[in-house]
Amino acid sequence: MTVRDLSVAVVGGGIGGLAAALSLLDAGIDAHVYEQAADLREVGAGIQVAPNASRILHRIGLEPVLARIGVRPGHWHQRRWDDGRTLLRTDLGDAAIEAFGAPYYHVHRADLLAALAAQLPTERLHLGHRLTAVATHDDRAEARFANGTTVTADAVVGADGIRSAVRAALFDRDRPQFTGCIAYRGLVPADRLAHLDLPVEAVAWLGPGNHFVHYYVRGGALFNFVSVIDRDTWTAESWTEPGAVADVLAAFEGWHPLVREIIGSVDETFVWGLFDHPPMARWSDGRVTLLGDSCHAMLPFIAQGAAQAIEDGACLAACLAAAPDDVPAALLRYERIRLPRTSHVQGLATTNKQRFHLPDGPAQAARDAEMAQGSTDWSFKAIAPIFGHDAAVLPET
């Protein structure tokens, strides 16, 4: 069998699924995407696209559109919660290209999803397909949908998110644990904050029990923020539950006036609970495998959730292209390569949750001193293994 004889059915039309299909097509593999929704939708929130993801997006044809819809921040800036003192300020901009060979972008999630969908040939995107069953056989895989359609392909890939139907069909449903944090997100028209003269950079304010992140998206027309707050209990894992701006302001009482002014400028905010999904022991069964949030949903404390899903698709395409005659072996190779890396990044995100929210005291002072030495996350020295990685280049063993 040649690469061009291979067919892959990708279940899920989010950022990870669409990027995977485009990487598969770029490798010469016949790929189709099956999405349960009647139309593609993404939440109104920003996303950070680090060089390890942007190099793949450029490779599959999105460089021109990313230059238009994205914002390239000049720095990653971590600041103290009350007085605004700089804890760490890392050059991005051209420095990221020089160091890692690809740029760092801030993008609106809906804009990135639309760009990926526009790049995929229309006949390869199938909406209104809710998965009901998946099966793997010696010579094929099958996906069955609620509309009566059955799709047969050489491989089926579950890119269907944290509530993955493909994962549930292959393995037990995971049991995420509440992290003790909730997050509020908001978007503000940039001209509403023009008087603050905010620089084009990603800023994280670190403080006792909370942290606050903000940056521009949509070519600089919108200002995105996410505030993460310690809380004892939460039940739903949803991105779309309305929140109260007054509650966010109350949680950031005593914080720097700039933080409070940004929060107070938003018209509406949405809140969700942050749940920890432990790394899975395996992703694949025969000719069926998983990708992105379906197998490694990440906490947002290292801004790598979408990036790792995009990496998954590039690695999957490379593994299938390298062994078109043995799809199960190719999927196992993909799993062996990707699972340790994504588990490592998940662990870094979990560690950052604790580090970002330290109360003032000896541990916080030690953290700040370490950051001043440039030896923690977001310094180039520390982040190079993540940002410098090319997921399409397979290790020799």
Side-chain angles (χ1 to χ4, degrees):
M1 179 182 290
T2 68
V3 169
R4 296 195 178 278
D5 294 324
L6 282 176
S7 61
V8 177
V10 179
V11 179
I15 289 171
L18 293 177
L22 290 169
S23 285
L24 290 163
L25 289 170
D26 189 59
I29 298 168
D30 179 23
H32 287 255
V33 176
Y34 300 86
E35 163 59 37
Q36 67 174 349
D39 55 85
L40 294 181
R41 295 185 298 272
E42 255 293 2
V43 298
I47 186 172
Q48 302 196 46
V49 180
N52 54 311
S54 66
R55 68 167 43 87
I56 296 167
L57 297 177
H58 283 191
R59 192 175 292 148
I60 58 179
L62 268 66
E63 184 172 2
V65 70
L66 284 172
R68 177 174 55 83
I69 67 174
V71 174
R72 286 178 51 194
H75 302 89
W76 176 254
H77 192 183
Q78 295 188 345
R79 305 180 66 176
R80 181 171 163 79
W81 68 282
D82 53 355
D83 59 13
R85 175 167 51 88
T86 292
L87 303 175
L88 177 70
R89 196 163 186 253
T90 302
D91 284 341
L92 288 174
D94 291 340
I97 298 176
E98 293 170 7
F100 307 116
Y104 198 108
Y105 293 106
H106 292 149
V107 184
H108 193 297
R109 282 180 174 271
D111 293 345
L112 179 56
L113 187 74
L116 290 164
Q119 191 71 9
L120 187 70
T122 55
E123 70 274 11
R124 294 182 178 275
L125 177 58
H126 309 274
L127 301 174
H129 282 66
R130 181 175 62 82
L131 187 83
T132 57
V134 64
T136 181
H137 306 284
D138 289 341
D139 59 346
R140 70 192 188 284
E142 291 181 355
R144 294 189 286 276
F145 300 94
N147 62 8
T149 302
T150 296
V151 173
T152 300
D154 292 301
V156 170
V157 178
D160 49 343
I162 58 173
R163 298 182 179 87
S164 172
V166 178
R167 182 188 62 229
L170 294 182
F171 311 108
D172 290 339
R173 292 184 180 274
D174 73 337
R175 294 171 176 81
Q177 300 296 312
F178 180 54
T179 62
C181 289
I182 61 172
Y184 289 85
R185 59 179 173 84
L187 286 169
V188 184
D191 57 7
R192 192 177 295 176
L193 299 172
H195 64 286
L196 298 177
D197 197 24
L198 296 167
V200 181
E201 59 184 16
V203 182
W205 302 74
L206 311 186
N210 299 348
H211 77 278
F212 186 79
V213 177
H214 58 76
Y215 50 84
Y216 292 96
V217 296
R218 192 158 284 172
L222 293 174
F223 197 75
N224 177 82
F225 75 76
V226 178
S227 56
V228 181
I229 301 165
D230 283 352
R231 177 166 170 165
D232 292 336
T233 60
W234 196 259
T235 54
E237 193 169 12
S238 170
W239 281 70
T240 56
E241 182 174 339
V245 176
D247 290 342
V248 192
L249 284 169
F252 286 85
E253 181 70 33
W255 282 56
H256 194 281
L258 184 58
V259 170
R260 293 180 55 78
E261 186 161 359
I262 292 169
I263 295 169
S265 68
V266 75
D267 293 323
E268 62 179 0
T269 185
F270 296 86
V271 60
W272 75 100
L274 300 181
F275 285 75
D276 190 21
H277 297 254
M280 297 177 63
R282 52 192 289 252
W283 299 354
S284 305
D285 182 7
R287 291 174 176 267
V288 183
T289 194
L290 302 172
L291 176 153
D293 282 353
S294 68
C295 52
H296 54 70
M298 296 191 183
L299 297 172
F301 302 128
I302 199 166
Q304 277 286 308
Q308 291 301 308
I310 292 167
E311 279 194 11
D312 287 346
C315 181
L316 175 66
C319 288
L320 286 168
D325 290 322
D326 194 342
V327 169
L331 298 189
L332 284 176
R333 185 184 187 190
Y334 155 74
E335 176 186 302
R336 285 197 300 270
I337 294 170
R338 292 299 301 159
L339 201 157
R341 177 168 169 83
T342 58
S343 297
H344 174 66
V345 176
Q346 280 182 290
L348 292 176
T350 301
T351 299
N352 275 351
K353 182 264 181 186
Q354 300 165 347
R355 189 167 65 85
F356 284 6
H357 290 195
L358 289 175
D360 286 351
Q364 163 265 323
R367 176 202 67 190
D368 295 355
E370 185 182 15
M371 292 174 72
Q373 295 172 4
S375 59
T376 61
D377 293 353
W378 302 109
S379 65
F380 272 14
K381 180 169 60 177
I383 210 69
I386 296 179
F387 286 6
H389 184 68
D390 188 342
V393 178
L394 301 180
E396 293 183 4
T397 55

